[in-house]
Amino acid sequence: MFDLEDNRKKVQRALLVGIQDSKMSSEEAEHLLDELQELTANLDIPMVDRVVVKLRKPHPAFLLGTGKVQELIAHAKELEADVIIFDDELSPAQQRNWEEESKIAVIDRQEIIIDIFSERAHTKEAALQVALARMEYSLPRLRRAWTHLSRQRGGGTGARGQGETQLEADSRMVRDRIALTKKELKEVIQHRHVQRAKRLRKPVPTVAIVGYTNAGKSSLLNTLTDSDVLAEDKLFATLDPTTRRLELDNSQHVLVTDTVGFVRRLPHRLVEAFKATLEEAVVADLLIHVVDVTNPDAEKHFETTMEVLKEIEADKNPMLVVFNKIDALENQSDKERFLFTHKDALYLSASTGEGIPELKATIAHHLNAKYKSTLLVIPHERYDVISKLHSSGGIREQKTEDDGVHIEGIFPPSLSGLIEPFVLKP
C-alpha cells in the first residue's frame, strides 16, 4: 500500500481521474471529481491536472480499457506526476496492475478518505476505528509493497523467495494487529455504552446533528449551544462526536451531539468502523438533518445521508430537515424548489442566527410530544425527595410556595414510587 501518511511530503504532482459510467451525467462526474480535488487539497497534495474518463463497461484488469490505460499513463508521465488518484474504488489487483504498468504510485478515493480520517481522529475510539479501517484496507494490498523483492526470487516452480517470506510475515502481523485492535475497540465501546447507559437513566432528551460533510453541522452546534467546537470550511473538519447542552426557551435542556459528516462513495469499511460513533444517531430522540442549501448537489447529499442512516438503522428516528446557509443563497428559486420537495423543512443560517429561534421551538415541540412533564408539590420538610429529583437532572422549573415546593419536570420510571404521593392531579 502506498502509505500517504508516510509519503505525503514526497507527493508533489497528482493526476486526478474521475470515472463517468453509463448511469452518470457528465455534470455529476465533474462534481464528484470536484469533491476528490477538495479531499486531496485537504491533505496538501498538489494537483497538476484532472480528467474524466467515460466508462461503458468495467475491465477486470485495470477498470479501464487498455487504450485508455496507456493514454492516461502517457499523460501522467508527460506531466511528471508522481501519483495517479482515482475517484472510483480500485481492487487490490487493479492497483497492482496500474503500478506495474505505469511505475507510478496509484491510489483511490478510499485511501484518500482513510488518510484524512486518520489525521482528524482524536479520541481513542475514533483513532482505533480508523486504524482498523486502514489495516483492513491494506491487508490485501501488501503484495504491492514487496514487488521489488519478488523480482529477486530464484529457483524453479514452488521456490520460496525473500519477498514471499516477508509478505507472509507481514500478512500475519497485520492480521494479529487487526484482531488486537478489534478487541481493544470492543472494550472502549463497552465503556462508552456504560457511560451512555448512565446518561440515559437521566431523563434528558438527546438530539443528534447529522448530514453531509461540510454542511455546517459543527457551526449549528456552536450557534445553538454557544460553544466553540472546531468548525472549518473543509471536508471532515472534525470526526469525533461532540456533545453540548442546549437550553430551550421552556427551561428544558437537551443534549445535542455533532456526528461525523457523510460523503458520497464513503468506503464501506469506514461506515462499519464508525458505526459505534454513529450510534449517537441511532439512540437519539431526534435527528437534525443539516443540508447545505447553496451546494448544487444538495439533493444528492440529502440522499447519501439518508442511505447511511438507513444502513445504521437510524432512518426511522424522528427527524427535522434543516437547510443551512440560507444567507448565502443567491437564487431564491432554489429555495422555492426545496420548499416544494421538502415541505416540512426549516431554513436557517448557523452563521447569522437567522431561523435559530424557530429551530429551538420546533425541537421543543417534538421532544414535548415524547417527554410529558409531571407536576409535583413536595412538602417543605421533604428536602430528601427534592435532592433526589435534582440529581436526576429532570427538573425544569421549581418554585417555593406556602403549601410546599412546586416542581415541574421529567423523571425516570425508577423514581415513580418516590414521586407518586406528590403528583399534582389534574
Side-chain angles (χ1 to χ4, degrees):
M1 176 179 176
F2 179 81
D3 196 331
L4 279 175
E5 199 168 22
D6 295 335
N7 294 283
R8 195 182 307 163
K9 291 182 180 179
K10 301 175 185 177
V11 174
Q12 297 297 327
R13 303 174 68 81
L15 171 63
L16 308 188
V17 180
I19 305 295
Q20 180 188 347
D21 60 31
S22 56
K23 299 178 182 178
M24 187 184 300
S25 67
S26 58
E27 185 180 44
E28 184 178 356
E30 289 290 349
H31 285 164
L32 281 168
L33 198 54
D34 288 341
E35 198 167 86
L36 178 65
Q37 184 174 338
E38 187 173 353
L39 288 167
T40 55
N42 274 223
L43 292 176
D44 298 323
I45 299 176
M47 181 196 73
V48 292
D49 196 12
R50 48 180 274 174
V51 295
V52 173
V53 178
K54 291 185 178 181
L55 179 65
R56 292 182 180 178
K57 183 181 178 181
H59 293 257
F62 290 91
L63 179 65
L64 305 178
T66 53
K68 183 57 70 174
V69 170
Q70 295 305 322
E71 182 183 324
L72 281 174
I73 291 174
H75 185 51
K77 290 186 175 180
E78 181 184 354
L79 296 171
E80 298 182 345
D82 45 26
V83 64
I84 302 173
I85 306 176
F86 278 84
D87 193 41
D88 241 35
E89 180 179 353
L90 295 176
S91 70
Q94 287 169 343
Q95 279 185 294
R96 197 156 52 242
N97 292 340
W98 268 99
E99 291 186 342
E100 288 176 354
E101 189 71 21
S102 67
K103 305 299 185 289
I104 299 173
V106 177
I107 60 180
D108 61 14
R109 183 186 183 96
Q110 285 205 60
E111 197 162 341
I112 291 288
I113 293 176
I114 288 173
D115 200 56
I116 293 175
F117 272 45
S118 179
E119 186 179 80
R120 307 273 168 80
H122 300 299
T123 65
K124 184 176 183 180
E125 181 181 351
L128 286 171
Q129 289 166 334
V130 174
L132 179 61
R134 178 182 285 280
M135 286 186 288
E136 290 178 338
Y137 177 84
S138 64
L139 181 59
R141 291 168 170 80
L142 285 176
R143 189 177 299 276
R144 296 166 62 203
W146 295 105
T147 52
H148 65 292
L149 291 177
S150 64
R151 296 193 195 101
Q152 300 173 10
R153 296 181 190 176
T157 304
R160 293 182 53 165
Q162 182 184 0
E164 184 181 2
T165 304
Q166 184 64 57
L167 177 63
E168 290 173 348
D170 275 16
S171 296
R172 208 163 32 244
M173 181 182 70
V174 173
R175 283 194 293 269
D176 289 344
R177 286 176 59 194
I178 286 174
L180 186 64
T181 302
K182 284 183 175 179
K183 181 180 179 182
E184 191 174 356
L185 184 57
K186 186 177 180 181
E187 293 173 355
V188 172
I189 292 173
Q190 182 61 37
H191 176 72
R192 183 172 50 78
H193 283 171
V194 171
Q195 297 302 314
R196 176 188 288 154
K198 290 180 180 179
R199 190 183 77 202
L200 292 179
R201 280 200 292 268
K202 297 183 178 183
V204 180
T206 58
V207 176
I209 302 177
V210 299
Y212 206 78
T213 186
N214 210 24
K217 298 184 303 301
S218 296
S219 296
L220 181 58
L221 177 68
N222 287 339
T223 302
L224 281 172
T225 63
D226 194 24
S227 53
D228 56 355
V229 175
L230 175 67
E232 295 185 49
D233 184 22
K234 61 183 181 181
L235 304 183
F236 303 124
T238 179
L239 297 179
D240 302 298
T242 305
T243 301
R244 295 289 184 270
R245 178 178 170 129
L246 167 63
E247 296 288 345
L248 298 174
D249 293 338
N250 57 2
S251 299
Q252 180 183 10
H253 71 269
V254 300
L255 296 178
V256 184
T257 299
D258 175 23
T259 63
V260 61
F262 305 143
V263 67
R264 276 186 283 179
R265 296 180 176 176
L266 180 70
H268 185 75
R269 58 178 50 83
L270 281 179
V271 175
E272 288 295 317
F274 273 82
K275 267 190 176 179
T277 300
L278 295 174
E279 278 179 6
E280 295 293 342
V282 177
V283 301
D285 296 299
L286 179 66
L287 300 181
I288 299 177
H289 181 171
V290 183
V291 183
D292 178 358
V293 74
T294 66
N295 195 297
D297 284 336
E299 283 293 350
K300 287 285 186 182
H301 294 178
F302 175 85
E303 292 168 7
T304 297
T305 301
M306 292 304 298
E307 287 169 5
V308 179
L309 290 175
K310 185 176 182 180
E311 187 168 353
I312 64 173
E313 299 179 348
D315 58 318
K316 299 295 190 297
N317 288 17
M319 184 184 304
L320 295 178
V321 177
V322 171
F323 285 95
N324 186 28
K325 307 183 184 179
I326 194 69
D327 57 309
L329 186 63
E330 296 178 357
N331 191 346
Q332 286 302 310
S333 63
D334 287 339
K335 180 178 179 180
E336 293 172 6
R337 176 168 52 86
F338 289 128
L339 281 169
F340 180 76
T341 54
H342 300 275
K343 294 181 173 61
D344 297 325
L346 299 176
Y347 295 82
L348 55 80
S349 169
S351 61
T352 68
E354 177 185 356
I356 295 298
E358 290 80 2
L359 175 59
K360 286 185 176 181
T362 308
I363 292 172
H365 173 75
H366 274 264
L367 295 179
N368 285 337
K370 181 174 181 178
Y371 289 87
K372 294 184 178 179
S373 294
T374 302
L375 298 175
L376 307 173
V377 179
I378 312 293
H380 292 295
E381 65 272 13
R382 295 301 307 270
Y383 278 103
D384 59 317
V385 175
I386 297 173
S387 176
K388 287 185 178 180
L389 296 181
H390 273 286
S391 65
S392 77
I395 292 180
R396 286 185 179 181
E397 188 174 358
Q398 177 176 324
K399 293 181 180 178
T400 301
E401 304 287 353
D402 292 340
D403 59 339
V405 180
H406 289 236
I407 292 177
E408 177 190 354
I410 302 171
F411 308 106
S414 59
L415 294 180
S416 58
L418 177 69
I419 66 175
E420 179 60 31
F422 312 111
V423 174
L424 187 63
K425 307 298 181 182

